[in-house]
Amino acid sequence: MNLTGAVSQVDAKVLESRPVANITQAIQGAIPNLNVSFGDGRPGSTGKFNVRGNNPLSTGAPLVLIDGVPGSMNNINPRDVETITVLKDASSAAIYGARAAFGVILVTTKAAKKGKLTVNYGNNFSNSRSTVSTNFITDGYTSAMLNDEAFLRATGNTYTRYTDEDYEELKKRQTDKSLPDVVIDNRNGKDQYVYYGNTDWWRVMFRDNQPGMEHNLSLSGGTEKVDFLLSGRYYQKKGMMRINQDKYEAYNMRTKITVRANDWLTFTNNTQFNIANYTYPGWGVNSNFVSVTVHALPSYLPQNPDGTATYRTELNNYTIGDGIYADLLHGKSKGIERFNELMTTFGTTIKLSDHINLIGNYTFTLNPARDNDLPTSTTYRRAVAPWSIFPGVIDKVGSDYLTEETNNDQYHVVNAYGEYSRGFGRHNVKFMAGYNQELKQFKRVNARRGDLLSESLNDISLGSSDAIVGGYQSEWALLGFFARANYDYKGKYLVEFNGRYDGTSRFPKNDRFGFFPSVSAGWRVSEEMFFEPVKNALSDLKFRASYGTLGNQQVATYGYIPVLSRGTLDWIANNKRVEYLTAPGAISPNLTWEKTTSWNVGMDAGLFQNRLNVNFDYYIRDTRDMLTKGMTLPAVFGTAEPRENAADLRTKGFELNISYNNQFDLAGKPFLFNVGANLSDFYSVVTKFDNPKKLLSDYIVGQRYGDMWGYVTDGYFASDDEAKAWKVDQRQVGSNIASAPGEWGQLRAGDLRFKDLNGDGKINNGLNTLDNPGDLVKVGNNQIRYPYGFNGGASWNGFDLSFFFQGIGKKDWYPGANADKFWGPYSRPYYSFIPADFEEKVWTPENPNAYFPRLRGYIALNGNNPLTNTNDKYIQDLAYLRLKNLTIGYSLPDHILKRAKLTRCRFYISGDNLVTWTKLETKYIDPEMAAAETNGRVYPFSKTFSFGLDLSF
């Protein structure tokens, strides 16, 4: 009750019955202003997060503490978790020092329970499918015509180079499925395969179903002197690759032991051991999805009648899917990512008196590289694959090499502190002071070698080409002293002071240390005498305020040191290749701490005997001396701008959390229910940056971070005559149109028309400055706004139900140049996956109000074109609402449990990401895929259905 900072907490219930690989997959949307994002949807995908907005101009992320020690949320068994607490303001986070400038996430794992041995077992079996539509055009004739039409208008030639006779054959196969998909025909004096298929390449490459399973086992017990907990988990999730299916496997183990040697001395150990492996076929996790998006038209086949793979049609100069299917069919190219972690903490507590405790602990972590999204080790094998286009003739595609990398990461943490607490009548005081020291040592070794003696055995020693060997190592250290003082009077007036003096090796010697103080206060108005008349309705009311400064040292390890790069030339001298060194880039000699100062005011209220609870916070966070690139320098400077303490940023936001719980009797049995909702928002404004010209390509003082500038469209030209009479020069937003051959080299009916906002007779960006932006205006903002969630649950007579919705209210996205499932042939007129509803969105004289303009190839791909230039018509809102989880369970009654000698038995069914509502124009891109990668070309996200069992005895 004596909290005076901005703190949010959830318990293990948000993780129960969820088929998730890690915690981050379960807590998205559960905590106000804890924003979680994912880079892709692969099995075992790990999340990244920020508290109250990211640090866009520099680097910075929340500090994650596992049972008080820095660690990764992605490595913990979700069933080991007791609570997750987020410290959001400077006051609550100040005690954690140099890495707490952007919040602290405290993960507390379950503790051992004294008494008889308790055994818990749980399992979960799941199946996943894509969250987006995979219904693409699979008619060979339609797809070829669309791509050829777009290609012809851009280049003067067709893409497929099908003849009229070929198109007649494709047309026949729209209705007569008995005709062969491939024939042997003589082209250019040589017999070859010619393809007339209707191939669904998505289902050739990918599976619809992705099974998974999880098993958990924990044991706990003990005596008055010793207690223990032992837990373990096995998790497996198979992916969507159809050939040589990808698979993620993880093993987690945790042991906790507490030994009470006597009344004043206690020893503890907490050890966590994790192993995870992800194995995938082909050229890379996301590269497989990128490669097959091009040149794999439905009219082409994956295999020839003799079983050989396809690669080229020899009718044009392009390669089917860049050769990925031939490679997958051969089955020798693959990658393995391995994640290993051992973390062990030894601690002791000495009770000097009823009021004084001394606590110390030491933690050693081996290979915590996953905290940086780095595997402990990787193996990647690329092999040469056979293919054929001429019957009986086998060619090879690809190259043969093996790459291996090992990352060795050792992390040492020492904490020692003392606590004093005592009450003096109505006055209560608490003091804490201590010391923290951390050392992290990292080393990487990698090697690559080609021309291996075996396709199946993968070892560097089997290569016959020259080995390419590389490496990297770094080391950084922290030293900190901290103190905290708390005072309260009758639990009514609360005040807390924090201070931390931190030093880091990441800055020059004269700038390594900084002092960072904070203060917070609270007033429990509900404890005042004058509040008694309303206490039946308003049970609890507290106002909070805090102010504090924190330092951020999450910058390059050696950013203040000029570093020479080395290499070798192809020249030979003294019987060896000549080595060389390059001049270092520019550095700032005065790098020092970023400083984050935050103001927070908040209110906590409980109504109707605390059945209804409301929490509200408003904050301002000023980040000063941000480490980012300095003022843009002319090209003659000869190197990139140095990183320096060059910018300031102000972030403002709020958080609102409401929950209600109650119960009543239904059919003589208690019916319990709860509902809750949270809403938050934040935005950032640049308050300092050296940009005297106010270039739009740089940060501008007063600019809201994430602002998107673009052109304003004015519909389509209704006729060729109208386009020809248009007096405004649109060549700077239509370079591909201007360079197209013949009649297509000019604006025509159906082409986009842009507004000439400054009236100069041409569409351009002027000087690209705030004072002269030409025809550019602000058309959106790419930062998240209004993330929210709401949840509920009920239980009665052994049955339980819970639901959880999550989403964001606003985030603008302009599709990238390679957003194939959005632009289709407007980008590359040879994309493999054209949405089934694409044709009805294309402008034609019969469809003048279509979403897209007249079909032209490359106008969404190359620069300075109508669709590559951000504009108001095609900007997308990534706002969404997702049914994140729905769970229904049933627990056996006590009389049956007693007969079976069980203490708990619960069956459940659960669904994750079941339904998604979005504002996107396309149903083929998940909003989180677009947020993860500007083209949305990543491993698709999935919806999951599962069932499971929980037993205790």
Side-chain angles (χ1 to χ4, degrees):
M1 295 295 291
N2 288 359
L3 286 173
T4 53
V7 178
S8 295
Q9 185 180 86
V10 294
D11 59 22
K13 290 181 181 179
V14 302
L15 307 174
E16 288 181 352
S17 311
R18 303 284 299 277
V20 295
N22 51 64
I23 297 175
T24 55
Q25 293 182 354
I27 64 172
Q28 186 180 37
I31 300 175
N33 244 337
L34 176 62
N35 305 294
V36 183
S37 61
F38 295 88
D40 54 45
R42 77 179 76 177
S45 177
T46 58
K48 293 184 178 181
F49 35 84
N50 68 69
V51 175
R52 292 183 163 181
N54 55 15
N55 182 6
L57 273 65
S58 180
T59 56
L63 170 64
V64 177
L65 297 175
I66 314 298
D67 292 328
V69 177
S72 171
M73 291 177 67
N74 294 315
N75 291 0
I76 309 171
N77 177 0
R79 299 226 185 182
D80 281 347
V81 174
E82 186 72 36
T83 61
I84 301 172
T85 305
V86 181
L87 313 181
K88 303 175 182 179
D89 64 338
S91 173
S92 59
I95 203 73
Y96 299 102
R99 290 189 294 154
F102 294 92
V104 179
I105 302 174
L106 306 177
V107 180
T108 303
T109 60
K110 294 174 182 176
K113 296 180 180 179
K114 291 184 291 186
K116 69 174 186 178
L117 179 67
T118 300
V119 179
N120 298 290
Y121 168 75
N123 61 35
N124 183 285
F125 299 91
S126 64
N127 186 58
S128 301
R129 300 174 66 91
S130 175
T131 61
V132 296
S133 174
T134 57
N135 183 26
F136 301 103
I137 293 175
T138 58
D139 178 75
Y141 177 85
T142 302
S143 173
M145 286 292 290
L146 276 171
N147 282 296
D148 273 349
E149 183 179 29
F151 198 89
L152 177 69
R153 293 173 179 177
T155 67
N157 295 306
T158 63
Y159 162 74
T160 63
R161 302 300 173 93
Y162 277 139
T163 64
D164 291 342
E165 290 76 15
D166 290 328
Y167 266 115
E168 289 179 10
E169 293 297 322
L170 282 169
K171 188 70 174 175
K172 291 177 185 177
R173 285 157 176 79
Q174 286 185 313
T175 54
D176 189 350
K177 303 301 181 183
S178 66
L179 296 174
D181 293 332
V182 56
V183 300
I184 298 175
D185 193 18
N186 190 282
R187 300 289 172 101
N188 297 318
K190 197 170 185 179
D191 285 348
Q192 69 161 78
Y193 297 115
V194 180
Y195 306 118
Y196 302 128
N198 294 290
T199 305
D200 186 342
W201 277 96
W202 186 269
R203 282 164 181 81
V204 167
M205 288 285 296
F206 309 118
R207 300 168 184 258
D208 289 330
N209 298 302
Q210 306 165 50
M213 65 176 174
E214 177 185 22
H215 297 275
N216 280 272
L217 181 66
S218 68
L219 299 87
S220 180
T223 66
E224 291 298 321
K225 289 289 187 181
V226 180
D227 57 52
F228 72 94
L229 178 144
L230 174 64
S231 72
R233 177 182 81 142
Y234 170 70
Y235 174 88
Q236 181 195 95
K237 178 70 178 292
K238 293 183 178 179
M240 63 188 299
M241 298 301 300
R242 182 170 296 279
I243 302 175
N244 303 319
Q245 188 174 17
D246 52 320
K247 183 170 69 173
Y248 175 82
E249 290 184 292
Y251 303 83
N252 305 91
M253 187 184 77
R254 180 179 298 278
T255 62
K256 277 188 170 183
I257 300 175
T258 302
V259 178
R260 288 169 283 275
N262 50 46
D263 292 340
W264 57 270
L265 182 61
T266 301
F267 297 101
T268 60
N269 177 260
N270 184 355
T271 297
Q272 170 182 304
F273 182 56
N274 308 299
I275 298 175
N277 298 302
Y278 180 55
T279 304
Y280 59 88
W283 299 344
V285 180
N286 291 321
S287 296
N288 292 333
F289 292 88
V290 172
S291 296
V292 76
T293 60
V294 292
H295 306 302
L297 271 60
S299 57
Y300 301 156
L301 298 185
Q303 289 180 260
N304 296 307
D306 62 359
T308 56
T310 62
Y311 175 58
R312 290 174 58 91
T313 68
E314 294 302 337
L315 302 182
N316 59 25
N317 294 319
Y318 301 99
T319 57
I320 300 173
D322 282 350
I324 182 61
Y325 186 82
D327 188 90
L328 290 171
L329 188 65
H330 189 53
K332 302 302 182 181
S333 294
K334 65 179 180 179
I336 305 173
E337 296 179 352
R338 306 174 186 88
F339 303 91
N340 303 324
E341 181 185 61
L342 171 65
M343 175 189 291
T344 184
T345 301
F346 295 91
T348 184
T349 300
I350 301 173
K351 185 177 181 180
L352 297 182
S353 70
D354 290 340
H355 308 292
I356 301 175
N357 290 315
L358 299 179
I359 299 102
N361 58 62
Y362 164 74
T363 300
F364 173 71
T365 309
L366 180 63
N367 285 328
R370 195 174 188 186
D371 199 24
N372 303 318
D373 291 328
L374 293 175
T376 308
S377 65
T378 59
T379 299
Y380 177 64
R381 175 65 189 272
R382 182 76 181 265
V384 175
W387 66 280
S388 179
I389 184 63
F390 303 112
V393 179
I394 303 298
D395 286 310
K396 297 291 181 72
V397 59
S399 52
D400 180 23
Y401 64 86
L402 173 69
T403 299
E404 294 193 296
E405 179 177 288
T406 299
N407 296 309
N408 187 284
D409 207 337
Q410 298 186 27
Y411 193 21
H412 306 265
V413 180
V414 176
N415 293 298
Y417 57 98
E419 295 179 331
Y420 172 81
S421 62
R422 190 162 188 173
F424 301 91
R426 298 177 177 180
H427 304 272
N428 298 291
V429 295
K430 184 184 293 185
F431 299 99
M432 180 178 67
Y435 146 88
N436 162 253
Q437 189 162 8
E438 302 179 18
L439 172 65
K440 191 166 188 177
Q441 298 166 310
F442 175 80
K443 184 175 179 61
R444 173 187 300 151
V445 177
N446 53 53
R448 170 173 165 154
R449 206 169 186 186
D451 300 328
L452 276 71
L453 298 178
S454 169
E455 283 189 319
S456 302
L457 300 177
N458 297 311
D459 193 275
I460 291 293
S461 64
L462 297 177
S464 58
S465 69
D466 290 339
I468 302 173
V469 181
Y472 171 81
Q473 57 184 309
S474 64
E475 178 178 291
W476 58 260
L478 287 173
L479 174 64
F481 302 91
F482 54 87
R484 171 184 289 169
N486 297 80
Y487 168 78
D488 77 79
Y489 174 70
K490 297 174 64 175
K492 185 190 307 184
Y493 309 113
L494 319 169
V495 65
E496 179 177 290
F497 299 92
N498 291 280
R500 177 127 182 173
Y501 184 66
D502 264 322
T504 175
S505 64
R506 299 186 185 218
F507 298 128
K509 288 185 178 180
N510 294 333
D511 296 297
R512 285 185 174 172
F513 283 86
F515 177 67
F516 307 105
S518 70
V519 61
S520 62
W523 177 27
R524 293 191 63 200
V525 183
S526 54
E527 298 303 303
E528 299 286 359
M529 291 295 295
F530 64 77
F531 204 79
E532 287 297 325
V534 298
K535 210 162 185 181
N536 285 335
L538 188 53
S539 322
D540 188 36
L541 179 63
K542 178 172 66 176
F543 294 106
R544 299 175 278 104
S546 68
Y547 170 81
T549 299
L550 291 169
N552 177 31
Q553 60 90 52
Q554 295 187 58
V555 297
T557 308
Y558 305 112
Y560 63 95
I561 299 174
V563 178
L564 301 172
S565 298
R566 66 165 298 278
T568 55
L569 299 172
D570 292 332
W571 296 91
I572 303 295
N574 297 324
N575 296 319
K576 66 178 183 178
R577 295 172 68 180
V578 176
E579 295 189 54
Y580 68 88
L581 296 173
T582 60
I587 65 165
S588 171
N590 301 312
L591 292 181
T592 189
W593 293 87
E594 285 184 3
K595 299 175 183 66
T596 299
T597 300
S598 66
W599 305 73
N600 194 98
V601 292
M603 181 271 293
D604 304 316
L607 292 83
F608 315 118
Q609 284 72 53
N610 290 330
R611 290 194 296 270
L612 174 64
N613 291 280
V614 180
N615 311 97
F616 178 80
D617 281 273
Y618 176 80
Y619 63 91
I620 299 175
R621 184 175 69 197
D622 288 314
T623 308
R624 297 186 175 92
D625 299 327
M626 298 181 72
L627 288 159
T628 186
K629 80 174 192 71
M631 180 180 68
T632 298
L633 299 173
V636 294
F637 182 64
T639 187
E641 296 87 358
R643 291 180 64 84
E644 51 187 305
N645 299 96
D648 293 350
L649 189 75
R650 167 166 283 194
T651 301
K652 294 182 179 180
F654 72 85
E655 296 150 6
L656 175 65
N657 191 65
I658 302 174
S659 62
Y660 179 78
N661 64 85
N662 207 342
Q663 69 177 73
F664 58 86
D665 284 344
L666 179 65
K669 296 181 180 180
F671 180 88
L672 290 79
F673 69 95
N674 64 277
V675 291
N678 69 75
L679 172 68
S680 59
D681 187 34
F682 59 88
Y683 66 90
S684 300
V685 175
V686 179
T687 55
K688 187 190 84 172
F689 188 77
D690 192 0
N691 182 8
K693 294 182 180 179
K694 297 183 180 178
L695 294 170
L696 296 182
S697 54
D698 257 342
Y699 309 122
I700 302 172
V701 172
Q703 169 194 10
R704 182 170 289 193
Y705 184 80
D707 279 347
M708 302 169 66
W709 290 74
Y711 296 101
V712 179
T713 60
D714 190 22
Y716 306 130
F717 293 108
S719 66
D720 288 349
D721 289 340
E722 180 184 327
K724 188 175 182 179
W726 183 239
K727 301 301 183 183
V728 177
D729 183 356
Q730 291 193 180
R731 284 177 297 176
Q732 291 197 45
V733 291
S735 59
N736 265 82
I737 295 176
S739 62
E743 61 180 339
W744 298 106
Q746 57 190 344
L747 292 173
R748 297 193 59 181
D751 285 327
L752 266 179
R753 180 172 55 215
F754 292 90
K755 288 186 178 181
D756 180 16
L757 298 181
N758 63 359
D760 65 354
K762 53 188 176 183
I763 306 298
N764 62 22
N765 63 352
L767 296 177
N768 199 39
T769 65
L770 188 63
D771 297 326
N772 185 358
D775 300 297
L776 293 176
V777 296
K778 292 179 185 178
V779 294
N781 188 283
N782 60 23
Q783 296 297 291
I784 288 176
R785 300 295 303 274
Y786 310 111
Y788 63 90
F790 53 94
N791 61 80
S795 62
W796 177 79
N797 196 29
F799 293 94
D800 63 87
L801 177 146
S802 65
F803 63 87
F804 175 37
F805 289 85
Q806 173 265 334
I808 62 174
K810 182 72 172 174
K811 176 182 170 66
D812 292 318
W813 169 66
Y814 195 81
N818 285 295
D820 60 312
K821 297 167 190 68
F822 186 88
W823 296 123
Y826 289 98
S827 172
R828 298 180 186 271
Y830 42 77
Y831 273 137
S832 313
F833 304 120
I834 301 177
D837 60 353
F838 182 79
E839 283 185 285
E840 64 192 46
K841 295 183 177 183
V842 176
W843 184 96
T844 63
E846 299 73 34
N847 188 20
N849 298 315
Y851 184 71
F852 289 115
R854 178 186 284 274
L855 183 60
R856 293 176 181 265
Y858 298 110
I859 64 171
L861 179 69
N862 300 323
N864 297 322
N865 268 296
L867 304 185
T868 46
N869 284 286
T870 302
N871 60 66
D872 63 338
K873 180 172 177 59
Y874 296 108
I875 197 167
Q876 304 291 303
D877 187 351
L878 296 184
Y880 68 89
L881 169 63
R882 202 190 297 276
L883 177 52
K884 197 69 178 176
N885 179 257
L886 175 66
T887 300
I888 300 172
Y890 177 70
S891 299
L892 294 179
D894 289 342
H895 68 276
I896 296 179
L897 294 176
K898 289 180 181 178
R899 292 177 189 173
K901 296 183 180 180
L902 298 172
T903 57
R904 184 184 186 224
C905 180
R906 176 176 177 263
F907 304 91
Y908 65 88
I909 57 175
S910 180
D912 271 39
N913 298 334
L914 292 180
V915 186
T916 304
W917 296 269
T918 81
K919 294 183 178 180
L920 279 170
E921 175 63 27
T922 175
K923 59 184 179 181
Y924 292 83
I925 299 176
D926 188 285
E928 290 193 85
M929 293 170 64
E933 200 265 340
T934 186
N935 301 299
R937 294 197 302 180
V938 296
Y939 201 116
F941 289 77
S942 60
K943 62 180 71 175
T944 302
F945 303 87
S946 69
F947 65 91
L949 167 70
D950 290 321
L951 292 174
S952 297
F953 50 89

